[in-house]
Amino acid sequence: MASVSPIRFEQGEDPVSVNDESKELTTLMHTKHEKLLVKDFVSEVRGRLDVNHLLEKSVILLDLNESIYEEIFKRIIGELATRDAKINLDAVQEALFVQDEGTPFNSLRQTLQSISSTGEGGMFTYDQTWVSTFCTLDGVEHRNIAIARLHSPINLGRTMEEIRFVIVVVGPPREKGTKTVLEAARTFGTLFADIDVKQRLLLARSVNDFKAILISSSDQRAQDPTHFQHKTNTGEKANIPDTKWYPGRGIAHDFKLRIRLYASDYYDGVKDRRAIQKTLSTTVFLFFTCLLPAIAFGVFNDENTNGQLNVKKVIFAQAVGGIFFAIFSGQPMNIALTSAPLAIYIKVIYTISESFGYDFFAMYACVGLWCQFFLTICAFTEAANVMKSATRSTEELFGMFIVSAFHLNAFKAIYRSFQEHYFPCDEKNYTLSSNITNMTNLSSEIEHFPTDCHRDTAILFIILTFGTLWIGLSLFNLRSTPYLTRGKRDILADYALAVGVIVMSIVGTFVFRQVEKDVFDVRLNAPYAAIAPFWTLPLSAYFVSMGLGFSLCFLFFMDQCIVTATAENPQHKLKKPTAAHMDLLGVAILNVFFSIVGMPWMHAAIPQAPLHVRALADIEERVVQGRVYR
């Protein structure tokens, strides 16, 4: 999910003495910051030629164990000197570094790094995983490049606190403009600014694989530049061109952008070993992330509708809706789910149906059809463009509301367990008499001891709840610990939720098998779906349904658009363009079916959508001025 960013060029010149006679030498330091555009491999054909030509005679060092500033550059420059006899170690060190008296290494004279805009007040962050430095040297006849991949990140100073790749370019002082050392550094800097390329380079097992990745990336940029334009600014590419408006223009534009990338939605998940591992771990993660809320809201709907919408229907609808949305949506990162606001709205519909004597499923279908009618109008009129004016705080507040609803439901479930099994023991003072003299009296006491007093059930509820939370968080945060290897930490973190649920389920089922447990009614005999007789409603019910459907449309519209904006946050650096109008139409079509057959409605949900993005992502942590950025 990389964003190719402008490249920052820093140049320092030799210190100029202003007071040679003073005891403390005072100097002036001249630095220059200049933004350079990334290399356009289509119009600047020299870029692709340089990658192929320079890599043939380049020095590639993999997994250097040196951890000291001086040793790393001595090793790199020494390898360059063995390839070109005219490269002198001391001369290159003097040209690359600003040196103080008695100190061989101080700071690099000229560096190249990429920067990314944070979208917050024009601020930007440095990509601190790589740095390129370059110099010219008299007597050198052609450009030489060395690339070192370090075994572990090192700190080379401010804005270079987690360097994994060091690129050094040494060349002649007189070359035409397209063949300078700066242009060579800019060429390779453009490739290293792509997080996908860096991730693949980190996994490269040999020098040949390392070179092949760089060559294929430059070839791809030259052949398909639009792919990287999407990566640079997805929002800009998703803007609808300034053409004459017509109904459905936004949907047509979204479809044209998405259809070219549709095959890659499937291919990207299995293109290499790393992708397959991510796909499998994300699948397991989403299974539990979607199943647990489906059961929770299924129980909630079961209680609110007297079993007419139940856990069985919610799980089945989740499977059907998830497959449909994954195939036909414009943003497959979104996850279609029923939600707490929808469950509350269904309760309102059920209450109104009971009050007026309407058939619940008929009323439910009628409200759903009206809602999807209005939602389709929103899709065809490009109403989703309104969300462009929404700020980050809007997304955060909405996410906080949904997360708070999940927390509230969890604590309500704990309280309900205590209310049913723990508190009655105190209220009725269920204790055995202390004056039991024989087995007959004991049997009499036990017969009168009520069966609804199970304090162990309530206590076990808390143990399983917080045990699952503790295991999941502990494994998820394992990435930031020094234990095991990085690959093993990533695997355990990816499967954190699954491990937590499975372990505590085993504990509750087998370790505490004698404790009575709360179970929900699956209603296996209830039908999955049945056509709702909405045509049997009286005329007045259609007007009531239209009002309820219009209000429900706002809920669908806001939820869908805000969740989409949250998943496509610029900080996630998604490669592919947005398709908000296409998604609205897809949600409307899906819920028309659910309305008619009496299944729970669904739309994109928080926090599943951003969690889905994070589960599939390769995450880098950068420390900038004491703050950790991910």
Side-chain angles (χ1 to χ4, degrees), residues 240-265:
I240 299 175
D242 188 15
T243 58
K244 184 178 180 181
W245 185 87
Y246 57 88
R249 182 186 65 169
I251 298 172
H253 179 260
D254 290 347
F255 182 77
K256 289 178 182 177
L257 287 179
R258 288 290 300 129
I259 193 63
R260 296 185 298 104
L261 305 170
Y262 186 79
S264 69
D265 289 346

Side-chain angles (χ1 to χ4, degrees), residues 78-119:
E79 291 290 338
L80 279 175
T82 60
R83 298 291 182 94
D84 191 336
K86 296 183 179 181
I87 294 179
N88 180 270
L89 179 62
D90 294 333
V92 174
Q93 289 180 184
E94 184 178 354
L96 285 179
F97 294 93
V98 178
Q99 299 180 11
D100 286 337
E101 204 172 305
T103 305
F105 289 83
N106 190 358
S107 61
L108 293 167
R109 288 180 186 272
Q110 303 182 89
T111 61
L112 203 64
Q113 286 179 271
S114 62
I115 58 174
S116 302
S117 173
T118 61

Side-chain angles (χ1 to χ4, degrees), residues 98-334:
V98 178
Q99 299 180 11
D100 286 337
E101 204 172 305
T103 305
F105 289 83
N106 190 358
S107 61
L108 293 167
R109 288 180 186 272
Q110 303 182 89
T111 61
L112 203 64
Q113 286 179 271
S114 62
I115 58 174
S116 302
S117 173
T118 61
E120 301 175 0
M123 301 295 291
F124 57 86
T125 59
Y126 286 89
D127 182 350
Q128 303 197 49
T129 58
W130 68 275
V131 64
S132 177
T133 184
F134 46 92
C135 69
T136 59
L137 203 64
D138 290 332
V140 176
E141 298 179 353
H142 52 78
R143 292 170 296 171
N144 298 269
I145 184 170
I147 304 174
R149 185 179 73 186
L150 307 182
H151 182 269
S152 57
I154 67 164
N155 188 343
L156 297 183
R158 189 172 65 87
T159 76
M160 295 181 286
E161 298 175 358
E162 295 180 291
I163 296 298
R164 288 298 304 272
F165 297 96
V166 178
I167 306 167
V168 178
V169 183
V170 180
R174 296 179 181 84
E175 281 284 2
K176 64 178 183 179
T178 58
K179 299 179 67 176
T180 62
V181 290
L182 174 59
E183 283 301 307
R186 177 171 164 245
T187 297
F188 284 90
T190 299
L191 300 179
F192 276 85
D194 187 339
I195 192 173
D196 282 346
V197 174
K198 286 186 297 182
Q199 289 294 334
R200 291 163 59 195
L201 292 176
L202 284 173
L203 299 173
R205 295 173 179 263
S206 65
V207 171
N208 290 335
D209 291 342
F210 196 94
K211 292 181 179 180
I213 291 170
L214 291 174
I215 292 173
S216 65
S217 179
S218 66
D219 292 343
Q220 188 178 5
R221 284 178 175 274
Q223 296 168 5
D224 185 16
T226 57
H227 174 68
F228 296 92
Q229 291 173 5
H230 287 310
K231 293 169 67 172
T232 304
N233 191 341
T234 56
E236 180 180 348
K237 294 302 293 183
N239 286 338
I240 299 175
D242 188 15
T243 58
K244 184 178 180 181
W245 185 87
Y246 57 88
R249 182 186 65 169
I251 298 172
H253 179 260
D254 290 347
F255 182 77
K256 289 178 182 177
L257 287 179
R258 288 290 300 129
I259 193 63
R260 296 185 298 104
L261 305 170
Y262 186 79
S264 69
D265 289 346
Y266 298 90
Y267 168 76
D268 289 344
V270 294
K271 63 182 179 181
D272 53 38
R273 182 175 60 86
R274 175 74 172 173
I276 293 174
Q277 188 270 325
K278 278 288 183 182
T279 301
L280 291 176
S281 63
T282 304
T283 301
V284 175
F285 170 77
L286 284 180
F287 175 79
F288 289 98
T289 306
C290 296
L291 179 63
L292 300 181
I295 293 174
F297 293 131
V299 173
F300 189 46
N301 282 328
D302 190 289
E303 295 173 353
N304 292 336
T305 63
N306 197 24
Q308 297 192 60
L309 286 179
N310 48 60
V311 176
K312 178 181 176 179
K313 284 190 174 184
V314 172
I315 295 177
F316 183 73
Q318 177 65 60
V320 174
I323 294 173
F324 177 89
F325 198 80
I327 295 175
F328 298 104
S329 67
Q331 179 49 275
M333 289 294 161
N334 288 337

